[in-house]
């Protein structure tokens, strides 16, 4: 049985800290999704993270810190642009890749010479880090390739049966999609986006324009053959166990005969759903994630989970949204849920 800890009580936060100092893992809320936390400086804790998630060792973990000072323990150096990013976007959903220092084991980075670092803004995670005084590795608290958890109940569903010691209940996550992962290439005046996420590309572009830097998506596919040479992502990820089909906005390749009995159709925003009227959707099984993209992102993973658990549905038809704002991250997650079933391919 996993303990569910209430952060309002100091004694329960003490429990979480005790687990962590004893090289155990604890699931903690962040502003993006729940993370499965363990000490970066403990190989025992890191290996417990990998085994509880059934995650392969080539897929590296993000280190969470209280700010630049703690980040300096992990990185060989910080270039000036990375420091500016930190000033502008931390604490918050931006993860920065840096050359790792010798303090960081290969277990954390999947053998890469870069370490991914972020400062979460969630007050529960921030308090734990402050009291612990050292960085915590934390991947999303789901089984490998599964749907990321945005509530403590989701964490229990994912990891409870596999021996999770404890989860701190910090309520639902505000963003609902993971952090944006970037790498700075100062010599090329370039910021690469390896994973679109809750920190929006437009905000990053405003920032980089001021510095005369270009921003470019470098979203790559990670598989067991390429290992960390193509870091960032797996093609099939964030997946329900049932099939998902994705149609790129504005869904030109969609025809109504693609819909079968027991399909659920998913639209990202209310405006997208209005457009679907032309396609003859009235009376069909439909879920709309939210009024705005912010709301839709917050509901995305819980709706994927509900679809997966509802026996009524055998397949999800996911209609992508426009790429502005959080649309980029939402489409990315829906495409990874679909794997190779993406139209046009
Ligand atoms: O919002 C988030 O980032 C959440 C919360 C818990 O902080 N964490 C999260 O971790 O999403 P995870 O492990 O589920 O995803 C981390 C992503 C992976 O795609 C991984 O490949 C990439 O970051 N990553 C981590 N370290 C890396 C490295 N050294 N080089 C390249 N990619 C890296
Ligand atoms: Mg994950």
């Amino acid at each position: 049985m996993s303990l569910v800890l209430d952060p309002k009580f100091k004694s329960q936060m003490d429990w979480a800290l005790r687990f962590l100092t004893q090289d155990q893992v604890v699931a903690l809320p962040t502003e993006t999704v729940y993370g499965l936390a363990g000490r970066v400086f403990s190989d025992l804790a890191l290996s417990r993270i990998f085994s509880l998630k059934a995650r392969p060792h080539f897929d590296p973990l993000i280190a969470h810190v209280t700010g630049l000072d703690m980040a300096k323990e992990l990185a060989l150096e910080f270039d000036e642009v990375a420091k500016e990013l930190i000033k502008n976007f931390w604490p918050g959903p931006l993860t920065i890749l840096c050359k790792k220092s010798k303090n960081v084991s290969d277990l954390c980075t999947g053998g890469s010479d870069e370490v991914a670092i972020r400062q979460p803004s969630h007050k529960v995670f921030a308090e734990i880090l402050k009291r612990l005084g050292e960085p915590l590795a934390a991947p999303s608290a789901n089984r490998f390739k599964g749907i990321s958890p945005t509530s403590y109940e989701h964490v229990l569903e994912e990891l409870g049966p596999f021996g999770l010691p404890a989860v701190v209940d910090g309520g639902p996550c505000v963003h609902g999609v993971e952090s944006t992962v970037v790498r700075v290439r100062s010599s090329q005046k370039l910021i690469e986006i390896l994973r679109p996420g809750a920190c929006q590309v437009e905000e990053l572009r405003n920032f980089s324009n001021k510095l005369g830097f270009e921003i470019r998506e470098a979203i790559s596919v990670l598989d067991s053959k390429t290992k960390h040479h193509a870091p960032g992502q797996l093609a099939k990820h964030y997946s329900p166990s049932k099939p998902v089909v994705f149609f790129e906005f504005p869904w030109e390749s969609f025809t109504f005969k693609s819909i079968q009995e027991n399909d659920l159709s998913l639209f990202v925003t209310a405006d997208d759903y209005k457009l679907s009227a032309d396609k003859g959707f009235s009376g069909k099984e439909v879920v709309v994630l939210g009024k705005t993209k912010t709301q839709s992102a917050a509901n995305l993973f819980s709706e994927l989970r509900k679809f997966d658990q509802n026996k009524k549905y055998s397949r999800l038809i996911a209609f992508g949204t426009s790429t502005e704002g959080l649309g980029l991250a939402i489409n990315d997650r829906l495409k990874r849920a679909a794997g190779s079933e993406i139209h046009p391919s």
Side-chain angles (χ1 to χ4, degrees), residues 5-6 16 27-28 70 81 102 104 120 146 162 170 190 194 199 217 226 228 254 258 281-282 300 305 307 314 334 336:
L5 302 170
D6 183 341
L28 298 175
M70 195 182 272
V81 172
K102 62 177 183 342
V104 182
F162 300 95
L190 179 67
L194 293 132
C199 179
E217 278 176 57
T226 51
H228 57 260
F254 173 77
S258 323
F281 265 90
S282 60
L300 172 66
R305 199 172 278 280
F307 151 73
S314 48
L334 288 173
R336 286 175 203 283

Side-chain angles (χ1 to χ4, degrees), residues 52-53 58 75 80 151 158 171 201 243 258 267 272:
L52 189 52
K53 277 183 64 89
F58 63 77
E80 289 309 312
S151 71
E158 286 283 326
V201 65
S258 323
F267 292 92
D272 290 347

Side-chain angles (χ1 to χ4, degrees), residues 30 32-35 53 55 59-62 64 95 97 109 112 114-116 118 138-140 177-179 181 195 222 231-233:
T30 86
T32 57
V33 300
Y34 275 70
K53 277 183 64 89
R55 177 163 169 146
D59 197 359
L61 308 177
I62 296 175
H64 296 66
T95 296
L97 291 187
T109 64
S112 160
E114 288 178 309
V115 58
R118 88 173 186 97
S140 51
V177 289
E178 296 85 348
S179 62
V181 180
R195 176 176 71 179
L222 180 71
Q233 294 287 288

